[in-house]
Amino acid sequence: MRKYVLLLIFLVLMGLLAFIGTIWREGPQQDVPELTAARKREDFEYLAKLVKEVYPLDKALEQDKGLENMDVISQAFITRAGESADNAEFLRLFYEYMTFLGQAGHAQVVFDEPYNPMLAFFYNIDKQAYRSRDYWLNMASGVEMYVHSKADIHYEQGKYVLAQDYQARETLFPQGSIIERINGLAVEDYVKSLQTQLHLVWDAALHRGYLQTLLSADPGNGAWMIEAVRPDGKMAKGDFLVYKGYAAPYRNEQPDSNVIPVELNDQTGYIRIFSFADMYKEQDGLVIQDFMKKSGGKYSKLIIDLRRNGGGDDDYWADNLLKPLLKAPVDYEQSASVKKSFGERFGLRFRLYKQFVSSTLTNKDRYDVTEVKKEQLPGVDSADWDTYTVTKHWQPEDSFLFDGKVYVLADGDSFSAADNFTAAVSKLGLGTVAGTNTAGGACVYMEPYRYALPNSGIIFKLETDLNSNAEGRINEIYGTAPDVLMDESRYPTAYPESYEPEVLKNEEWIRKVMLSL
């Protein structure tokens, strides 16, 4: 009898393991059949409804950034989706919609996250969506979203200026020429017309959006018709030819290491960090600790360069930079608001997510959170929003041999976790933030949540938090203002040509810091 009981238990266990394995496995990747017009419209109708319920910046894009009304944009995309010729054009439209949402905070397609049944349950994403991931990824690789011109155009004091001479067929545009019209539109109108195609950076000084790369949306006819005022006051008119592919407005870097520490002189240490991604945290921590240990405590200044740092994880900077710089324990409070309809939409799934997912920003062990308090803040309508104050307690840990002044360099490309670190340094008085307004994007209570379109299965993430900076303005639009403004209304801003000590010492912003600003 016992033998049969054991056999039965064994068979039950095997069946259970087989069932769990079936649930856990993602299964083979599958193509997505060409979507009908009705199903494409349904996906964008779902997306428009989702944005109303969970995206915290729909009104801010219009009221603070001066962009089109979200309802008008959504309706236009629903119509265009139904008229799209095929899945590739549908995907391009989806990218455009994400670009518009990304005008403030996080909004991206997600191709690199494997199926996890627990997370899929929390996000309410069907396994089938994960099985179509490669289909959309392969299609995305063939979708050309950007083009470029070979003209070197900089943004300076609200104007777009030729940084070098440019020969447009028979017409010369001398260095210093100011572009006034593009394809018949005044420059400012042209820029605003591209709000669903290109990211408009907010110029906090002039209160307007601008393009870091002015000519990167395909005009459709092989050239942009440019009208500009030459330095001699005369008008120039000519075609700027279109070239395929994206071209960054600055020299692309391919560093061998994510962190580059350099001794500038006996008094000044310099640490360049390209990303706060979790994958670099452990190794970078060792490099930084070794650099500071070898200094023997001789530095009176430490420059932490976060220009063009696109963010990552907050525990990177908390463990590798902030705690080693602390001289005493500190409590740090930040508040964020989340739409009530977000909680109503996910209900128990979201509560379980907060309880069991270690990467969530309120995780006590990973992020040193001591309290999460729901409260009412002035100016926030409690009928529509839930507001949370998150308190973190940090203690000195692995302290640096350093007792000098800290300077953090940040610019309009410092985003997300990089923005959050600059805000913490400034608020806690740990150092001086020098540069320009950051790109914002700090997440406080909730990291961007994942969603999937019901018919196409495209997985994406959206901003959840609505946060304010120290000035009480929306962080996702205005970013964090520096303590010392290095450059006003200019892009690209100053940046090192290389990381040789002599080159760094002569770089504009670093030189100012070394001369005590």
Side-chain angles (χ1 to χ4, degrees), residues 199-495:
H199 181 69
L200 277 62
V201 180
W202 187 249
D203 184 332
L206 299 179
H207 305 287
R208 66 173 65 173
Y210 71 91
L211 291 172
Q212 293 178 336
T213 306
L214 180 64
L215 302 180
S216 54
D218 195 343
N221 59 356
W224 296 272
M225 172 55 70
I226 303 297
E227 298 173 58
V229 178
R230 293 170 171 162
D232 62 6
K234 296 180 180 180
M235 291 296 299
K237 186 175 182 179
D239 290 339
F240 283 35
L241 296 179
V242 171
Y243 296 88
K244 290 186 176 182
Y246 177 73
Y250 46 75
R251 176 178 56 86
N252 282 320
E253 294 180 295
Q254 293 182 326
D256 294 328
S257 174
N258 183 59
V259 60
I260 300 176
V262 180
E263 180 170 287
L264 300 181
N265 57 33
D266 284 345
Q267 293 79 42
T268 310
Y270 170 90
I271 301 175
R272 172 71 174 103
I273 305 176
F274 294 92
S275 169
F276 283 153
D278 185 63
M279 62 186 290
Y280 301 119
K281 178 188 171 185
E282 185 176 350
Q283 180 60 35
D284 287 3
L286 295 174
V287 173
I288 294 169
Q289 282 287 339
D290 182 64
F291 174 68
M292 295 304 293
K293 184 177 180 180
K294 286 179 178 177
S295 73
K298 64 182 178 181
Y299 297 146
S300 58
K301 293 180 182 178
L302 177 63
I303 301 172
I304 301 172
D305 195 342
L306 302 183
R307 288 175 285 183
R308 301 180 191 166
N309 183 314
D313 293 282
D314 285 348
D315 58 337
Y316 177 110
W317 58 258
D319 292 346
N320 289 344
L321 298 171
L322 186 137
K323 292 177 187 177
L325 287 169
L326 287 176
K327 302 301 180 186
V330 296
D331 288 316
Y332 184 65
E333 288 187 353
Q334 291 176 288
S335 296
S337 298
V338 178
K339 283 186 175 180
K340 278 187 178 294
S341 48
F342 174 87
E344 292 166 358
R345 181 184 184 89
F346 288 97
L348 178 62
R349 293 174 190 266
F350 178 61
R351 293 195 292 274
L352 291 173
Y353 175 89
K354 276 293 189 183
Q355 184 68 35
F356 293 109
V357 176
S358 63
S359 61
T360 187
L361 294 178
T362 52
N363 182 276
K364 295 182 178 180
D365 295 326
R366 180 169 181 175
Y367 293 109
D368 305 295
V369 173
T370 56
E371 184 180 27
V372 179
K373 183 168 57 177
K374 188 175 179 180
E375 57 185 358
Q376 175 64 42
L377 293 181
V380 180
D381 188 352
S382 60
D384 297 324
W385 299 86
D386 288 326
T387 300
Y388 301 90
T389 296
V390 180
T391 303
K392 297 177 182 178
H393 180 78
W394 288 314
Q395 299 204 45
E397 190 174 314
D398 297 324
S399 297
F400 294 150
L401 285 171
F402 176 74
D403 196 28
K405 294 182 179 180
V406 176
Y407 296 88
V408 176
L409 301 182
D411 64 6
D413 289 318
S414 304
F415 181 63
S416 193
D419 165 73
N420 219 356
F421 177 65
T422 62
V425 167
S426 184
K427 185 175 180 179
L428 293 172
L430 283 177
T432 300
V433 176
T436 67
N437 280 55
T438 67
C443 297
V444 174
Y445 173 73
M446 187 66 202
E447 60 280 359
Y449 218 58
R450 273 53 169 173
Y451 311 90
L453 296 181
N455 296 320
S456 61
I458 299 174
I459 300 173
F460 58 99
K461 61 182 178 181
L462 286 180
E463 193 79 26
T464 309
D465 278 359
L466 179 66
N467 306 317
S468 297
N469 62 19
E471 301 165 312
R473 307 170 96 177
I474 295 175
N475 169 271
E476 291 89 345
I477 292 177
Y478 296 93
T480 297
D483 300 311
V484 178
L485 184 64
M486 294 287 222
D487 229 336
E488 191 171 59
S489 302
R490 180 160 73 102
Y491 191 89
T493 50
Y495 201 76

